[in-house]
Amino acid sequence: MTKIILLVEDNPDDEELTLLALKKSNIAKVFVARDGAEALDFLFGTGTYAGRDLSVMPAVTLLDLKLPKVDGLEVLKRLRAHEHTRRLPVVILTSSREQQDIVESYNFGANSYIRKPVDFAQFMEATKQLGLYWLVLNEPPP
Amino acid sequence: MMPKLDGFGLLNELRNDPKTRTISVILLSARAGEESRVEGLDAGADDYLVKPFSAQELVARVGSNLRLSKLRKAHQEEIERLNLDLERRVKERTAELEAASKELESFCYSVSHDLRAPLRAIDGFSMILQESYGDKLDAQAHNYLERVRAATQRMSHLIDDLLKLSRTARSEMRITTVNLSELACTIAKDLEGTAPERKVTFSIAPQMVVHADASLMRVVLENLLGNAWKFSGKRAEARIEVGSTTNAGETAYFVRDNGAGFDMKYADKLFGAFQRLHSVTAFDGTGVGLANVQRIIHRHGGRVWAEAAVDQGATFYFTLSVQRKLV
């Protein structure tokens, strides 16, 4: 079974660049949610994703903090409050380096926090390592 | 003159108690000399009447003192009213300032988050053009794309520095004992690590201990030493000195280099944000470092200034006055 990545990203440029970077490193199937509400629907099989096969869960969720409708921290909080999703690996992937964002992300149970570099070469390298680590090296929760 | 407590004693007690401080007092005494009258008035009496006096004069003096007392009371009430008003206005202003500071914080947050995303797109798509469509572009087009990407990096650094500047202004100060000598040595070692091939002689005076915010002092020395390092980069044998000098009881700390220096007629521009005295091609930088240094030194109640000449090196001085407040 191929592992999937859930990318929660509202900016179409960032989405395209992240997908290109992931494609360059031949990483998995990527599913994109464009706001926090869609991400929650996908992960909980609700709304437009009602009836989705919930045995297919992402090996890692790449979560932006600033999102329309439901923001990243709220998504994280709801995932951690639910038995089905509370061990799901979540990596915060954001432009912000505000101390407060980093602290809150970890407080709410983020597994990792990565600040998107402006330099695309660095961004590709980061994405490659990220994919390699979470899809190949990391042993996912049962 | 009276038994037990004399007139002066009573006057003294009345004046020392806030409840009776404003009561009008006329001293009645048989001591008529100018010296006695001055002594009485100095002791806090409102008036001085020499015995014997006529009933008429006494009534006139009492009347005059009552009028003065009423006026005083009215003034007192006016002052209290003004004070209350002032307090209310201070509270209002404080609330306004707090709101403005919150706004600034959310602005900085947007700057860090929102300005970065388009930059990443510009850099990312430029790079994809270079890599995936490079064969369709000529050398000139490649050069332009390189420049687009270099400008993107530069803007990214500007945003970072702008955020650092706003953080300096917002962060809370924690005053402790800071050993500037040790701090300077650590920073010098870090700088040497960035370019081990350079020949730079550091001379750092020992035991310069101050009372200041440790992390802000690190920012100050990092900037001043970093500048000294940068602007002495074209010297075959660079010298960087850190020391202190005392003038009229005030200690100034300094960082001196034998580098490019600058023309003193531009000295007033040194500490402005994004002001630069050298072109980016001559010396890299965003022009935020010294603005940050100045902010930090001002927050410590100190001053910062520079002395330099073109090609003769520069010396940056700063004082810290929190030191004296603590002692």
Side-chain angles (χ1 to χ4, degrees):
Chain A
M1 198 174 75
T2 43
K3 289 179 175 175
I4 63 162
I5 289 179
L6 173 62
L7 173 66
V8 193
E9 174 63 74
D10 66 312
N11 181 326
D13 288 338
D14 271 354
E15 177 193 327
E16 176 83 17
L17 292 172
T18 311
L19 290 179
L20 275 170
L22 286 170
K23 204 168 130 195
K24 257 221 155 104
S25 17
N26 295 319
I27 291 167
K29 227 173 105 180
V30 185
F31 189 87
V32 184
R34 277 153 192 111
D35 61 58
E38 193 187 349
L40 287 172
D41 277 345
F42 179 82
L43 292 169
F44 290 123
T46 51
T48 46
Y49 295 94
R52 184 182 83 82
D53 178 7
L54 283 183
S55 68
V56 181
M57 290 303 266
V60 65
T61 295
L62 306 180
L63 183 62
D64 197 356
L65 284 181
K66 222 173 153 193
L67 291 167
K69 294 183 192 170
V70 183
D71 73 24
L73 284 181
E74 184 61 30
V75 170
L76 188 57
K77 214 174 359 176
R78 291 210 215 157
L79 292 183
R80 293 303 180 240
H82 212 280
E83 178 55 30
H84 181 60
T85 51
R86 81 185 164 90
R87 295 182 200 87
L88 209 65
V90 174
V91 173
I92 303 296
L93 190 62
T94 179
S95 300
S96 162
R97 199 161 53 186
E98 283 290 305
Q99 187 89 354
Q100 196 193 339
D101 284 337
I102 301 174
V103 170
E104 283 190 341
S105 297
Y106 281 115
N107 281 350
F108 286 131
N111 298 81
S112 176
Y113 187 106
I114 291 164
R115 189 200 190 210
K116 294 179 202 170
V118 164
D119 185 313
F120 187 59
Q122 286 175 26
F123 182 64
M124 283 212 298
E125 183 56 31
T127 312
K128 189 174 143 190
Q129 289 192 21
L130 193 80
L132 194 70
Y133 179 82
W134 289 101
L135 275 80
V136 180
L137 288 176
N138 186 54
E139 206 60 60
Chain B
M1 299 293 283
M2 289 191 295
K4 286 188 188 164
L5 186 64
D6 71 2
F8 278 108
L10 177 63
L11 184 59
N12 209 18
E13 291 210 359
L14 287 177
R15 290 298 179 247
N16 280 335
D17 188 331
K19 276 184 287 195
T20 55
R21 188 168 293 159
T22 55
I23 290 178
S24 293
V25 174
I26 304 174
L27 283 181
L28 308 174
S29 173
R31 288 165 58 205
E34 183 189 313
E35 215 172 292
S36 312
R37 295 203 303 273
V38 169
E39 195 186 351
L41 293 172
D42 275 350
D46 296 283
D47 208 347
Y48 192 97
L49 205 48
V50 181
K51 292 179 196 171
F53 45 80
S54 70
Q56 260 174 321
E57 187 179 4
L58 179 65
V59 170
R61 292 278 176 111
V62 168
S64 139
N65 273 287
L66 280 179
R67 273 198 308 279
L68 280 174
S69 161
K70 260 188 208 152
L71 260 175
R72 253 201 312 264
K73 205 172 163 216
H75 281 154
Q76 190 61 36
E77 279 166 5
E78 177 70 6
I79 287 169
E80 271 164 25
R81 197 185 58 75
L82 287 173
N83 272 341
L84 276 178
D85 193 45
L86 193 63
E87 255 171 60
R88 184 185 53 77
R89 274 158 62 188
V90 167
K91 262 186 204 151
E92 274 174 19
R93 285 288 148 81
T94 311
E96 273 170 31
L97 278 176
E98 272 167 7
S101 148
K102 276 231 174 75
E103 214 168 279
L104 183 70
E105 245 167 80
S106 78
F107 168 77
C108 288
Y109 183 92
S110 298
V111 166
S112 98
H113 196 283
D114 296 356
L115 289 189
R116 220 172 272 284
L119 277 185
R120 194 164 40 251
I122 296 169
D123 189 68
F125 293 121
S126 303
M127 186 170 162
I128 290 162
L129 278 179
Q130 285 175 323
E131 293 204 336
S132 306
Y133 302 88
D135 50 351
K136 297 192 180 77
L137 300 171
D138 62 15
Q140 183 80 326
H142 273 288
N143 173 268
Y144 287 156
L145 280 176
E146 261 321 307
R147 285 160 84 160
V148 169
R149 297 195 63 203
T152 312
Q153 287 309 317
R154 195 164 157 68
M155 178 145 173
S156 163
H157 288 145
L158 280 170
I159 296 172
D160 279 346
D161 283 353
L162 199 61
L163 284 174
K164 269 188 218 152
L165 195 62
S166 89
R167 225 167 273 146
T168 306
R170 285 183 292 149
S171 69
E172 236 170 81
M173 293 227 296
R174 278 187 54 237
I175 305 297
T176 55
T177 308
V178 183
N179 189 326
L180 292 183
S181 306
E182 279 175 15
L183 198 54
C185 286
T186 315
I187 296 166
K189 277 210 187 77
D190 288 347
L191 286 170
E192 281 168 337
T194 61
E197 72 284 357
R198 274 189 61 182
K199 254 184 102 179
V200 182
T201 313
F202 279 96
S203 107
I204 298 167
Q207 287 311 311
M208 289 185 288
V209 179
V210 297
H211 283 107
D213 181 287
S215 59
L216 290 180
M217 277 303 115
R218 171 175 274 275
V219 175
V220 166
L221 286 184
E222 271 175 358
N223 273 301
L224 294 182
L225 282 166
N227 278 351
W229 176 268
K230 177 163 70 182
F231 293 112
S232 63
K234 289 170 187 169
R235 290 277 178 272
E237 292 193 13
R239 271 182 291 107
I240 298 174
E241 189 189 347
V242 185
S244 70
T245 159
T246 303
N247 186 13
E250 186 182 46
T251 303
Y253 301 90
F254 65 82
V255 175
R256 178 173 295 147
D257 66 68
N258 64 340
F262 58 86
D263 188 335
M264 279 302 277
K265 74 176 172 214
Y266 303 119
D268 59 327
K269 287 196 166 177
L270 273 178
F271 299 98
F274 300 112
Q275 293 279 6
R276 305 205 66 234
L277 299 186
H278 300 274
S279 72
V280 177
T281 37
F283 293 100
D284 193 24
T286 54
V288 172
L290 286 178
N292 217 359
V293 167
Q294 188 181 46
R295 248 181 219 211
I296 293 170
I297 297 303
H298 284 177
R299 284 193 75 186
H300 283 80
R303 294 176 298 125
V304 57
W305 69 96
E307 282 167 10
V310 174
D311 273 333
Q312 305 290 307
T315 308
F316 282 83
Y317 297 89
F318 65 87
T319 61
L320 299 164
S321 76
V322 278
Q323 200 174 356
R324 253 175 288 146
K325 277 182 208 153
L326 272 189
V327 176

